[in-house]
Amino acid sequence: MTEPLSPPKRKNPLARTRRTLLPPSARSRTAHGLTLAAAEGRFALQRCGECGKFTYPPRDACPECLSSQLVFVEAPVGGVLVTSTTIHVTGDSYFREHMPWRQGIVVADCGPRIIAHLHADCTDGERVNLSLRLDKAGQPVAFAAPSQRASNMQDDPALREMTADPRYRRVLITNGRHPATEALVRSFKDAGATSVFVGVAEAWKPLAGEDRLGAIDGVQLLPLDLTDQRSVFNLAADIAGKVDILVNTADHVRPVHLFEPAGTRKLMEAVNATVAGTMNLAQAFGPAMAGRGADGVNSAAAWVNLLSAYALANAPEFGAVSVSHAACLSLSHWLRAELRKGGVRLLNAFAGPLDDEWYQSVPAPRVSAGQLADGIIDGLRRGLEEIYVGDVARDIRARLAANPKALEREIGR
Ligand SMILES: [Zn+2]
């Protein structure tokens, strides 16, 4: 059974922060089919369109019939661990820091033999569940865990390298006025986060739920105005070195019509609140987080961006939200490339219209704050890069993959 994680000791301020080393990251273009599945938490393997056999690792021709019709499809996760080995010595600098490390061969129920990283609880000859994970370098790897769930499974050191579980980590939620703030704070505390910092702009304005937030142990409200570069850098000077998970809740939802006289000004307000806010955060907190990706149990682990699903396709009713969040999405890819060098992952949480005052005109189903918070905690625990919360977001994702033109026409009706 996995030893439960112990609370990290106070760091010696004189000790040098361990440099982040990354596992080998070369992958073929075909293998990025696994990256897509791993980023969204799906287990997908190539299956041959001619003979129907599953194959692994990814390749360009079927090893059974030489057909080139290999398509990534969802595969059954079950399998049997036939043999395993514990590696004690390696020439690879990343794995040398993490010895001993277990690997094994799993015969998947759907056919292929898969070399997988192993959860410490796996036993030879027993059934396991396979999954695709993003490793510290952001590249997909196969991982096997016992099919029977046991306590503290999340605390397995190998698994923790491939996830961003909030347990014993310190969290910053950047915009305390976002409607999901209270639900997020409670979910992070329930998930074992040591402390949650909540940024609040314009402190003189009353903050909904301030008393309730202040009453939760380990929660600190701090001044943070995302649109003010100095405010962001001031807070970063105080806490950037102890933020392990940053949840960027920059948002600005206002109805704007494309042809209204104030349209440009309103669009720029939305862009300033979201894009400039995210850029300020990236500059102030990005370097510190990227430098702490290997800082022990409570290393910097993840950056979360809350994005509207309309970032993926412009919904004219919320055109300015779509534009500003589409720009944030592009910025998130830029930031992800930088954070990845430090072993820190970036999770984009796409949500449909929230159940708040600004989306009152939108018919159900809308996303509740609790649903959004649960989705983010689950995404961090599984180490994902993309999650879609609520029916609207999932529907947009599916339609975008099937036919982007149909989505554009239908959403713009
Ligand atoms: Zn075939």
Side-chain angles (χ1 to χ4, degrees):
M1 222 172 68
T2 316
E3 280 292 310
L5 212 62
S6 14
K9 290 197 186 76
R10 213 183 158 76
K11 194 180 168 187
N12 173 1
L14 299 177
R16 196 163 156 247
T17 302
R18 211 163 76 182
R19 205 180 119 221
T20 311
L21 299 165
L22 300 177
S25 63
R27 296 291 188 281
S28 70
R29 188 171 296 172
T30 309
H32 284 308
L34 299 178
T35 314
L36 175 63
E40 296 182 346
R42 293 179 287 111
F43 184 64
L45 298 177
Q46 283 177 309
R47 190 170 60 189
C48 176
E50 298 268 340
C51 70
K53 293 254 167 61
F54 278 97
T55 180
Y56 183 92
R59 32 169 78 91
D60 295 320
C62 172
E64 294 287 327
C65 71
L66 295 180
S67 163
S68 58
Q69 288 182 45
L70 290 172
V71 187
F72 282 94
V73 294
E74 303 260 328
V77 297
V80 175
L81 174 65
V82 289
T83 181
S84 69
T85 181
T86 303
I87 303 158
H88 291 276
V89 180
T90 173
D92 181 85
S93 46
Y94 169 80
F95 285 105
R96 202 160 46 200
E97 297 280 336
H98 296 86
M99 291 290 111
W101 190 274
R102 275 185 89 206
Q103 280 192 322
I105 296 175
V106 177
V107 175
D109 293 345
C110 59
R113 298 167 78 84
I114 295 176
I115 297 178
H117 298 294
L118 298 182
H119 189 284
D121 292 351
C122 287
T123 316
D124 288 10
E126 297 285 320
R127 286 200 62 76
V128 292
N129 281 351
L130 287 158
S131 55
L132 293 170
R133 305 275 176 180
L134 294 172
D135 67 12
K136 208 74 176 163
Q139 298 292 17
V141 291
F143 188 83
S147 56
Q148 298 284 344
R149 280 208 65 82
S151 45
N152 309 316
M153 271 178 92
Q154 276 292 329
D155 293 347
D156 178 65
L159 189 55
R160 204 165 156 96
E161 277 295 293
M162 300 175 197
T163 57
D165 195 295
R167 193 159 186 207
Y168 295 131
R169 287 198 160 111
R170 296 156 296 182
V171 182
L172 167 64
I173 296 169
T174 62
N175 172 14
R177 298 187 193 280
H178 190 280
T181 300
E182 194 177 336
L184 278 166
V185 170
R186 290 188 188 282
S187 296
F188 273 109
K189 286 304 293 179
D190 289 348
T194 316
S195 42
V196 182
F197 308 109
V198 180
V200 182
E202 300 172 300
W204 52 272
K205 269 192 206 169
L207 172 70
E210 183 171 348
D211 298 345
R212 290 192 299 276
L213 283 180
I216 305 172
D217 186 38
V219 175
Q220 244 181 298
L221 301 181
L222 299 167
L224 176 62
D225 180 351
L226 298 180
T227 59
D228 175 358
Q229 201 174 33
R230 182 178 295 181
S231 161
V232 181
F233 273 87
N234 280 347
L235 185 66
D238 285 345
I239 65 164
K242 46 186 176 182
V243 171
D244 307 324
I245 297 175
L246 185 150
V247 185
N248 173 17
T249 51
D251 203 6
H252 187 87
V253 186
R254 302 289 185 276
V256 185
H257 192 281
L258 182 60
F259 296 151
E260 71 173 90
T264 305
R265 177 180 57 77
K266 288 185 180 176
L267 176 69
M268 293 323 290
E269 279 170 9
V271 168
N272 192 40
T274 53
V275 184
T278 303
M279 185 69 179
N280 287 339
L281 278 172
Q283 293 201 316
F285 285 85
M289 287 182 72
R292 287 188 45 249
D295 205 8
V297 167
N298 55 351
S299 58
W303 180 297
V304 183
N305 280 326
L306 257 63
L307 296 176
S308 165
Y310 298 140
L312 301 166
N314 191 292
E317 200 184 343
F318 298 101
V321 174
S322 301
V323 169
S324 59
H325 281 227
C328 281
L329 174 58
S330 183
L331 179 50
S332 84
H333 292 168
W334 190 8
L335 176 59
R336 182 180 281 155
E338 289 300 329
L339 292 178
R340 193 163 52 225
K341 294 175 196 163
V344 175
R345 56 194 72 220
L346 188 147
L347 168 66
N348 281 327
F350 296 95
L354 298 183
D355 200 5
D356 72 5
E357 56 180 322
W358 294 107
Y359 289 106
Q360 283 176 56
S361 62
V362 180
R366 288 188 283 166
V367 175
S368 72
Q371 229 181 324
L372 184 57
D374 289 348
I376 287 171
I377 300 290
D378 179 63
L380 289 169
R381 281 187 171 146
R382 297 164 67 198
L384 308 183
E385 280 192 353
E386 248 80 54
I387 60 166
Y388 300 86
V389 185
D391 293 340
V392 172
R394 279 194 292 272
D395 183 54
I396 288 177
R397 167 72 182 92
R399 286 196 288 164
L400 190 65
N403 183 346
K405 259 315 161 201
L407 174 64
E408 183 198 314
R409 291 294 191 276
E410 287 166 10
I411 210 168
R413 257 206 305 258

